[in-house]
Amino acid sequence: MTNSAIPSGVDSLQNDRYLRMLRGQSVDRTPLWVMRQAGRYLPEYRATRAVAGDFMSLCRNAELACEVTLQPLARYDLDAAILFSDILTIPDAMGLGLSFNAGEGPVFSKPLQSEADIDNLPILDPTAELQYVMNAVSTIRKALNGRVPLIGFSGSPWTLATYMVEGGSSKQFAKVKKLAYQSPVAMQKLMDNLSENVFVYLKAQVEAGAQALMIFDTWGGVLTPAQYQKISLDAMEKIVSRLKRDSVTANIPVTLFSKGVGEKQLVQLADLGNEAIGVDWTHALSDVRAATGDKVVLQGNLDPCVLYAQPEAIRQSVKAVLKSYGEHKATGGHIFNLGHGIHPDIPPEKVSVLVEAVKEFSSQYVC
Ligand code: 1CP
């Protein structure tokens, strides 16, 4: 399925606030979406997941993946939808044996254990092993019918590598960092393979109907500044430059999100030809804005734990994030989001408080 297969005109965007911000056009208020907006904090998500059986079956079923993508939009006035899928679809398609055990994170039965394992990694055909993701994208795009734009995504090569080498979630990242220090050549081969795979995967998502892209570098912050540059940033730079040189993806806005990195690293991340960067809650948007000089749009950065607070405190925190970014200029800009994904035990009503507060307080800042 390609973009041309989607009836033109049928879905000219009714709400294009998110894309306008990324293109440097004027908006009436700050655009807003919520990382992990479809997920376990919503009872209707838990119900659909139970119908699917398990998490990967939900991702593999285009109709159900579409249903959960649209669930948060039925509750809240959000300005973008994000494909319901996971970053671990790529290593799963490579045959690493992904499973999600109840109450635990992801587990790979065949993690990368040797240089030979890395040498044998394929370049995937996204219209073969990952066709189910593209089916979900085109199904969601049709169902949205132009209501809001659809964001496609991937993990960054480094963040994917952490799961592939550790065999799942990690606290210390000792195995993957050991690989980086002991076998830098093998590490580079892994980054090169994943850069290629992420590029073709994101391009295929655009061909299937994704209107913006985001790369999640969730574990960029566990690297030293030098390694961050050499390993994670370098791989993301290759992907962005491929996307910007390809006629299919050249005009698709790209957001890069490295969680847990310092301000210098955010400045580097803003300099790869991408339109936006994600900012976690450990930074003040005012500092990041001053450091990046309105070069890119900043997305973020309310602490997800603020949603545990009482409604009035949430409203004040939303105000503080908007004020920290400050008044928009012709370049740069702000897309409101959390600084990381919403926690599964947040009452859904708290998200309404957040959304209404962004709508109420943000129009004074935009241009
Ligand atoms: O139902 C369940 O129990 C599964 C929980 C869940 C969900 C809802 C997982 C497993 N993935 C997802 C969906 C998901 N994952 C989305 C959907 C779109 C949305 O935002 O609404 C996205 C964008 C992701 C991306 C993702 N998966 C990231 C990057 C973003 C981030 O949150 O940092 C990462 C690191 C993953 C790995 C992953 N998948 C699932 C879990 C529980 C994890 C994290 C494990 C860990 O902490 O290491």
Side-chain angles (χ1 to χ4, degrees):
M1 174 80 58
T2 64
N3 263 336
S4 59
I6 293 163
S8 60
V10 172
D11 80 339
S12 60
L13 278 171
Q14 292 143 37
N15 173 353
D16 60 355
R17 212 176 263 119
Y18 170 80
L19 287 181
R20 289 182 67 85
M21 180 59 76
L22 289 167
R23 290 183 190 133
Q25 296 164 336
S26 62
V27 289
D28 57 345
R29 65 163 173 81
T30 304
L32 144 89
W33 67 282
V34 176
M35 279 192 269
R36 295 271 175 112
Q37 62 194 24
R40 280 178 293 174
Y41 76 106
L42 292 177
E44 58 270 35
Y45 168 81
R46 297 195 296 270
T48 309
R49 188 182 187 275
V51 171
D54 60 74
F55 173 70
M56 281 310 286
S57 302
L58 178 53
C59 295
R60 285 178 195 283
N61 183 319
E63 298 304 324
L64 295 182
C66 177
E67 189 177 304
V68 295
T69 302
L70 300 188
Q71 284 170 348
L73 300 172
R75 276 187 186 254
Y76 315 114
D77 201 353
L78 299 163
D79 298 309
I82 180 160
L83 162 68
F84 189 84
S85 189
D86 200 77
I87 63 165
L88 301 176
T89 51
I90 288 180
D92 179 50
M94 288 173 158
L96 272 62
L98 174 64
S99 59
F100 284 90
N101 301 337
E104 291 170 41
V107 178
F108 285 105
S109 60
K110 287 178 255 170
L112 301 180
Q113 285 175 322
S114 67
E115 210 166 326
D117 287 350
I118 293 171
D119 285 335
N120 290 333
L121 287 175
I123 300 298
L124 298 167
D125 174 357
T127 62
E129 301 93 332
L130 291 161
Q131 182 58 41
Y132 70 93
V133 178
M134 308 314 147
N135 290 344
V137 171
S138 55
T139 303
I140 297 162
R141 173 76 186 266
K142 270 194 220 123
L144 280 170
N145 197 22
R147 216 169 124 193
V148 291
L150 175 60
I151 306 169
F153 70 91
S154 170
S156 73
W158 162 251
T159 290
L160 293 177
T162 67
Y163 291 96
M164 295 166 77
V165 175
E166 299 288 337
S169 304
S170 180
K171 288 207 165 73
Q172 310 289 348
F173 300 91
K175 289 181 190 156
V176 69
K177 290 181 77 170
K178 183 174 167 188
L179 177 72
Y181 284 115
Q182 285 192 342
S183 315
V185 173
M187 189 71 208
Q188 188 58 49
K189 276 188 197 163
L190 180 54
M191 288 302 101
D192 289 345
N193 171 283
L194 289 171
S195 302
E196 176 73 17
N197 272 303
V198 168
F199 165 70
V200 294
Y201 184 54
L202 291 175
K203 181 178 171 180
Q205 289 183 34
V206 171
E207 285 174 325
Q211 291 151 295
L213 294 171
M214 176 152 169
I215 298 178
F216 290 92
D217 184 35
T218 304
W219 304 121
V222 307
L223 293 165
T224 67
Q227 281 182 318
Y228 172 74
Q229 191 170 359
K230 189 165 177 288
I231 300 174
S232 192
L233 197 76
D234 179 71
M236 288 191 282
E237 178 165 35
K238 285 180 180 142
I239 296 164
V240 175
S241 90
R242 294 278 300 273
L243 290 169
K244 293 300 169 193
R245 277 185 284 125
D246 192 296
S247 62
V248 171
T249 51
N251 295 319
I252 300 292
V254 178
T255 301
L256 303 176
F257 174 49
S258 284
K259 183 173 158 282
V261 298
E263 195 172 289
K264 281 193 178 154
Q265 288 68 45
L266 290 179
V267 171
Q268 293 176 320
L269 190 65
D271 201 28
L272 305 186
N274 47 311
E275 283 74 6
I277 62 170
V279 182
D280 71 29
W281 66 90
T282 64
H283 296 270
L285 286 185
S286 53
D287 292 340
V288 181
R289 184 179 185 183
T292 53
D294 289 324
K295 187 163 188 173
V296 290
V297 172
L298 305 184
Q299 175 180 284
N301 72 343
L302 188 74
D303 182 349
C305 291
V306 163
L307 296 175
Y308 291 117
Q310 295 304 310
E312 191 46 35
I314 296 172
R315 286 164 54 80
Q316 294 309 321
S317 299
V318 167
K319 244 188 196 173
V321 169
L322 291 166
K323 193 172 170 208
S324 180
Y325 184 84
E327 281 178 28
H328 294 217
K329 289 199 192 126
T331 57
H334 178 209
I335 292 170
F336 200 98
N337 206 316
L338 302 178
H340 195 206
I342 187 169
H343 294 203
D345 60 344
I346 294 295
E349 310 80 67
K350 297 292 189 69
V351 177
S352 303
V353 175
L354 181 160
V355 171
E356 292 311 310
V358 173
K359 286 168 68 178
E360 184 180 342
F361 300 130
S362 70
S363 53
Q364 60 175 300
Y365 292 107
V366 299
C367 66

